[in-house]
Amino acid sequence: MGKCEQCIIKQFNSLKSLTKDELIRISACKTSKTIKKGEVIFEEGDSINGIYCVKNGVCKLSKLSENGKDQIVKMVVKGQLIGQRSLVSNENSNLQATALNDMEVCFIPRTEIIADLQKNPKFSFDMLKDMAHDLREADDIIVNMAQKSVRQRLAETLIYIHESFGVNPDGTLSVILSREDYANIVGTATESAIRVLSQFKKEGLISTVGKFIRIEDINGLKRIE
Amino acid sequence: MGKCEQCIIKQFNSLKSLTKDELIRISACKTSKTIKKGEVIFEEGDSINGIYCVKNGVCKLSKLSENGKDQIVKMVVKGQLIGQRSLVSNENSNLQATALNDMEVCFIPRTEIIADLQKNPKFSFDMLKDMAHDLREADDIIVNMAQKSVRQRLAETLIYIHESFGVNPDGTLSVILSREDYANIVGTATESAIRVLSQFKKEGLISTVGKFIRIEDINGLKRIE
DNA sequence: TTTAAAATATGATATCTGTCATGTTTTATT
DNA sequence: AATAAAACATGACAGATATCATATTTTAAA
């Protein structure tokens, strides 16, 4: 099993602020897991009791709505942490985490992290920064949901995935989502998401081969109103 | 000018975790302000350079959308803090704060708070908890925006205001909002908000006299689908 | 008080989006 | 390869919501 103190992944999240000794201690009690595509890491209401550090792969954080739809609230990639909120508030999770492709994660038990938060102010300040960033993102999502059309939101989602998660060598988006996932990010019916993607294709803004999507005209997407 | 260490308001936010000495120091450099109804406390893009502790009154935090609407993201009442996110991330504000009625606030400069965050782990952990709570609320708002009708969202907004901010002796909601504000919380056109409120009135769910709204049948509102 | 401005109200209509139905394609499994 | 299941696609239609127009009422200001 890898050692936290040597792991490059920690560069990308607040764990980077832990001292070498703290990392060694955490390394001793962490557990590594492989999670297969589609597998649920934890459900709404689960007591998580720790945080996950994503070493590889992508997952979605979603929340079930009363109408049966599973709204995707955030996507998490390599380098990021999952479960900080529940860790801090000591409440059960309000979200479900589901792997979008095969993942490798490390699980660090709650008590260890809490101990470090109490002792290492740089670490807790870093986590504060992360949450402040998440909050800002959440604000933007709220505004988009409230004020923009499905067409605009879907265009922005494609751009976001393109810019945040990158593309394969052939230019297709590296994160593969079903049309239903797109609908659940945008907050619309699956048929509507399919329809709008088809329109984008007709307009030459994107090209698709099955689930693979390539953005052909990113400025065109940005221009959508 | 009041002294922080004797101020009861701090009970309701993370400032309660500061030591007496820290509070005395903060008290020495804080400034009190009165803000009139409708006045803007800070705008999007402003560098805030501190946090506001709300001693009295209510304000809205909003973000301008490209379509010209001013989406309300959160309402802040007596006891709560404003500006933690910008404080922590050291970025300019992504939101505008506007007083909904006359307010009294204390402004604490950034450097003081940062110093305490670095030194007092209990304080920073408390602020982490606050942010985790805000994030959870934001998740709920995203899901509601994405999955619920204007009618449902408006009903839930009325219930939220009723339960979180209370009522006057005559039973009317103590926080007075314009129809436009309601529209900007719910994320709809002002006319739609007006229309739905009129419907609620016709259905006996609420009664209104000018801007004053009284919930007559809270269970009826909760039943709306 | 008078007047102007802003907020509230309501109708008519257009547009957007959801739902249902149905067919096709892709993917997984035997 | 054959089959079933899932995902994707598209049309038709209904319902929700935005927009525009126009009153009416309330509030603020002169």
Side-chain angles (χ1 to χ4, degrees):
Chain A
M1 188 151 67
K3 294 175 182 173
C4 293
E5 63 273 25
Q6 291 166 1
C7 181
I8 40 162
I9 288 298
K10 68 170 192 296
Q11 303 281 3
F12 303 106
N13 61 50
S14 41
L15 296 180
K16 67 173 176 294
S17 297
L18 293 176
T19 64
K20 194 172 180 186
D21 283 354
E22 287 168 334
L23 283 169
I24 290 173
R25 189 166 42 72
I26 277 182
S27 202
C29 64
K30 78 158 198 291
T31 49
S32 292
K33 292 185 192 178
T34 5
I35 296 161
K36 274 180 230 144
K37 179 181 171 177
E39 204 175 312
V40 172
I41 306 170
F42 54 82
E43 294 184 352
E44 273 182 71
D46 279 3
S47 145
I48 312 185
N49 266 309
I51 60 172
Y52 294 87
C53 178
V54 179
K55 273 168 75 181
N56 246 311
V58 188
C59 77
K60 60 180 176 184
L61 298 180
S62 63
K63 183 163 159 52
L64 210 61
S65 172
E66 288 159 27
N67 63 359
K69 298 258 170 110
D70 196 41
Q71 179 67 37
I72 296 177
V73 165
K74 185 174 162 59
M75 306 207 332
V76 177
V77 286
K78 182 161 92 172
Q80 300 183 303
L81 302 176
I82 322 177
Q84 302 108 302
R85 306 173 212 185
S86 304
L87 178 98
V88 162
S89 63
N90 204 13
E91 294 173 307
N92 293 353
S93 177
N94 63 324
L95 301 174
Q96 175 173 92
T98 313
L100 288 169
N101 46 37
D102 293 350
M103 299 181 76
E104 283 179 80
V105 301
C106 288
F107 178 80
I108 305 165
R110 180 165 198 278
T111 45
E112 291 303 317
I113 295 291
I114 294 286
D116 292 328
L117 281 175
Q118 308 284 10
K119 280 187 318 191
N120 184 337
K122 190 165 183 323
F123 177 46
S124 61
F125 191 71
D126 253 38
M127 194 170 275
L128 265 175
K129 268 190 189 166
D130 277 358
M131 286 212 192
H133 178 257
D134 282 355
L135 265 172
R136 188 178 278 245
E137 272 192 351
D139 288 341
D140 288 340
I141 295 176
I142 291 172
V143 176
N144 286 345
M145 286 292 177
Q147 305 291 350
K148 294 186 179 173
S149 67
V150 168
R151 198 174 147 80
Q152 279 177 300
R153 280 179 272 155
L154 191 41
E156 290 184 8
T157 299
L158 290 170
I159 294 167
Y160 175 76
I161 292 175
H162 180 95
E163 295 186 341
S164 305
F165 309 141
V167 294
N168 298 316
D170 64 350
T172 57
L173 299 180
S174 61
V175 174
I176 311 287
L177 298 177
S178 67
R179 303 294 195 262
E180 189 180 7
D181 281 331
Y182 278 107
N184 289 340
I185 292 172
V186 166
T188 190
T190 305
E191 296 95 322
S192 296
I194 290 173
R195 232 180 280 271
V196 174
L197 285 174
S198 298
Q199 283 167 10
F200 285 171
K201 200 173 171 179
K202 272 182 202 147
E203 296 166 27
L205 298 169
I206 63 171
S207 61
T208 68
V209 181
K211 281 183 156 56
F212 293 92
I213 296 179
R214 183 166 53 207
I215 294 183
E216 299 291 346
D217 178 6
I218 197 161
N219 292 317
L221 283 178
K222 286 180 181 171
R223 252 182 268 117
I224 287 177
E225 296 215 352
Chain B
M1 187 152 66
K3 294 176 182 175
C4 293
E5 62 274 24
Q6 291 166 359
C7 179
I8 40 162
I9 287 298
K10 69 170 193 292
Q11 302 280 4
F12 303 105
N13 61 49
S14 40
L15 297 179
K16 67 174 175 294
S17 297
L18 293 176
T19 64
K20 194 171 179 189
D21 284 353
E22 286 167 335
L23 284 168
I24 290 173
R25 190 165 43 73
I26 277 182
S27 201
C29 62
K30 77 157 199 290
T31 50
S32 292
K33 293 186 193 178
T34 5
I35 296 161
K36 273 181 230 142
K37 179 181 173 179
E39 203 175 315
V40 172
I41 306 170
F42 53 81
E43 294 185 349
E44 274 181 72
D46 279 3
S47 147
I48 313 185
N49 268 309
I51 60 173
Y52 294 86
C53 177
V54 178
K55 273 168 76 181
N56 247 311
V58 188
C59 76
K60 61 180 176 183
L61 298 180
S62 63
K63 183 165 158 53
L64 208 62
S65 173
E66 288 159 27
N67 63 0
K69 298 258 171 110
D70 197 41
Q71 179 66 37
I72 297 178
V73 166
K74 185 173 164 61
M75 302 202 341
V76 176
V77 284
K78 182 161 91 171
Q80 300 183 303
L81 301 177
I82 323 176
Q84 302 108 303
R85 307 173 210 184
S86 303
L87 178 96
V88 161
S89 62
N90 203 14
E91 293 173 309
N92 293 353
S93 177
N94 63 325
L95 301 174
Q96 174 173 93
T98 313
L100 288 169
N101 47 36
D102 291 350
M103 300 180 74
E104 284 179 78
V105 301
C106 289
F107 178 79
I108 306 166
R110 180 165 198 277
T111 46
E112 291 304 314
I113 295 290
I114 294 286
D116 292 328
L117 282 174
Q118 308 284 9
K119 282 187 316 193
N120 184 337
K122 190 163 181 322
F123 177 47
S124 61
F125 192 70
D126 253 38
M127 195 169 275
L128 264 175
K129 267 191 189 164
D130 276 359
M131 287 212 192
H133 178 258
D134 281 355
L135 265 172
R136 188 177 278 245
E137 273 192 351
D139 288 340
D140 288 341
I141 295 176
I142 291 171
V143 176
N144 286 346
M145 285 291 176
Q147 305 291 350
K148 294 187 177 171
S149 67
V150 167
R151 199 174 146 80
Q152 279 176 300
R153 283 174 341 223
L154 191 42
E156 290 183 10
T157 299
L158 290 170
I159 294 166
Y160 175 76
I161 291 175
H162 181 94
E163 295 186 341
S164 305
F165 309 139
V167 294
N168 297 317
D170 64 350
T172 55
L173 299 180
S174 61
V175 174
I176 311 286
L177 300 176
S178 67
R179 305 293 195 262
E180 189 181 5
D181 281 330
Y182 278 107
N184 289 340
I185 292 172
V186 166
T188 191
T190 306
E191 296 95 320
S192 296
I194 290 172
R195 234 180 278 272
V196 174
L197 284 174
S198 298
Q199 283 168 10
F200 286 169
K201 199 174 172 180
K202 272 183 201 147
E203 295 165 29
L205 298 169
I206 63 172
S207 61
T208 68
V209 180
K211 280 181 155 57
F212 293 92
I213 296 179
R214 183 164 55 207
I215 293 183
E216 300 290 347
D217 179 5
I218 196 160
N219 292 318
L221 282 178
K222 286 180 181 171
R223 254 183 267 117
I224 287 178
E225 296 216 351

